[in-house]
Each structure stands twice: as structure tokens, then as C-alpha cells.
Amino acid sequence: MNARKRADRNLPDVSTSPPAAADSPDKQQVRLNAILTALQHSGSVSVESLSQNLDVSLVTIRRDLDSLEGQGLLRRTHGGAVSIEPLFYEPFRNDRSFQAQVEKFADEKRRIGRAAAALIEDGEIIAITPGTTATEVIRGLPLNRKITVVTSTVNVAMELSKRKDLDVFVTGGHLRGDWFSLVGPTAVQSLSHLLIRTVFIGADGVDPKWGLSCYNPDEARLNSSMAKHAQRKIAVVDHSKFGVVAGWRICPTSDIDTLITDSGATDEMIAPFERGQIKVIRA
């Protein structure tokens, strides 16, 4: 038995003993953030590797993972943890359904989402439009930043339901079941008294001349309203959406402040946006 295992065996019962120095609030928060970062990059983590990388006991790591699971940020497994699976119910599937789109460019969307979430500041009111890439943004939301999330998407609200550190505002409206989004006049009206700091816009197409667009007119109208109420507009689209005009415009290119895409986007694809003074991030 190695020294670490002997030390773990001799640790006091954490349910009755006061926290050790390693469990001070500041140190624990650093560890929790490190665990979530590792999980966001790989999708799974092990107790053993976290213990070695963070130089704390196995018992401490298990306690940290239990705490994060209690906050709805991961799911515990034997020997470690995995990312929370998307919470949604899909009554049917077609080429444009949510589930079908989740499986396309999944790694790229994950990277885009994490890069977008890193731009969120303390105390912000943010809005998330429907979409698989935009959904990845909420999976990277930082902890304990007093963030308010405005969403018109049922699956996003479900995924955030255990995050006690967030305020979640869900618009009303008519449910568009295949994308779990709420649309219509009621949804638009619910935004009228909100001042959104940052909106993260997912889209079916992004074109230098036409701007951001989607295939559904009701969704385009609601997403456009979110954009109009936001001070900062960040587009989150994978490289396959460049040059696509989906038919219903969300907002013109000139409205976009930042465009976050993946490394598959070529210099030629992003050049028109950079010429338009739009900050482009390739994750």
C-alpha cells in the first residue's frame, strides 16, 4: 500500500471532523473550478487523477465531487464523475431536430461554448437563444458569479434547475416541441422590460452580407428581440454555418460585437467579419 493510500485510510471521518486547511472556502473554490475545467475539456474525470493533479487526498476529491453533484454540475460515477447529460425529451427525430444537430460537430460546439462562457462577467444578465451551440454556453457558466440567465428554451431551463448560484428567467410563449423553444408574441413581450447585458446567439447561418439567420420565422423574431434588448451581442456558430443564408434574419452583421467559432473556420471565412470590426475568436 503506497503512502497516499495509507494516509487516506487514516483520515478522520469528514462527517464529524472540522474541515482541514485544504478545505478552506478559497482553496476549495479553486479546486472546484479546476475540476469543472478538467471535466469540460475531457467529459470525464477520475478521483485518482484529480487527487494527484491537485495534490489533495482522495477523500477531499470525493467530497468536492459530491458537492458539485449536489449543485447539478456533474454526475458521480464509480471512481470519478462525468458531465451532465443534456436534459430533454424528444418526441420525434428528423434531420433538423435538436438531437440530430447535437451530434454534429459536438467537440467544436463544446469548445465554442466554453470560450463564450469565459467572457461572462460577474453579475451579468445574459440571454441564450435556442440552439445546440448556444446550449453549450450554459454548460460552461462560471460558479458563484451572481449571473442571471434569460432563456426561451425549456431544455436550458431544465439543465440549470439545480444551479442554486444562478437566477433563471424563462420567457413565456408557445412551445415549439422539436427544439424545446418558446416562441410567439407572449415570449417577445416578456422581454420588453429586460435590460440584457450579453446575448449569445446561435444561428443556422452566418453570412457577411445577410447576417445571422435561422429557418423558423417565429424563432428569428424572438431571437431578434433578445438581440435588440442586449448591450453586447456574441454569435456562437460552428464553421459549417458560414456562408449559409437560412431565410429569416435574426440581426444584421453590423450588430454583432463578437463572433466565436471553431478552428475549422478558415481565414477566408472570417476575413469579412474582421474587416467589419467584429472580434473573431476561433476556439
Side-chain angles (χ1 to χ4, degrees), residues 126 148-153 157 167-172 187 190-191 194:
I126 68 169
T148 298
V149 180
V150 178
T151 180
S152 60
T153 315
D167 285 328
V168 181
F169 175 86
V170 184
T171 68
S190 69
L191 299 171
L194 283 173

Side-chain angles (χ1 to χ4, degrees), residues 99-211:
Q99 178 63 8
Q101 296 303 313
V102 162
E103 297 167 1
K104 295 179 180 179
F105 305 107
D107 289 341
E108 290 86 345
K109 291 174 181 177
R110 179 192 290 264
R111 296 198 304 269
I112 292 168
R114 301 311 179 264
L119 301 179
I120 299 172
E121 301 171 355
D122 290 0
E124 276 201 76
I125 299 177
I126 68 169
I128 309 286
T129 70
T132 52
T133 307
T135 298
E136 286 294 339
V137 177
I138 64 102
R139 294 175 185 156
L141 289 178
L143 294 172
N144 303 316
R145 300 287 184 86
K146 298 181 180 179
I147 297 167
T148 298
V149 180
V150 178
T151 180
S152 60
T153 315
V154 175
N155 72 304
V156 166
M158 287 294 293
E159 289 201 32
L160 296 179
S161 61
K162 289 188 177 181
R163 287 285 301 266
K164 305 305 180 186
D165 59 324
L166 301 173
D167 285 328
V168 181
F169 175 86
V170 184
T171 68
H174 175 74
L175 178 63
R176 184 183 171 216
D178 54 343
W179 274 85
F180 317 103
S181 56
L182 299 166
V183 296
T186 302
V188 173
Q189 179 62 29
S190 69
L191 299 171
S192 61
H193 300 295
L194 283 173
L195 178 59
I196 298 165
R197 165 57 182 150
T198 304
V199 61
F200 295 94
I201 309 170
D204 294 312
V206 55
D207 180 80
K209 295 181 179 179
W210 182 243

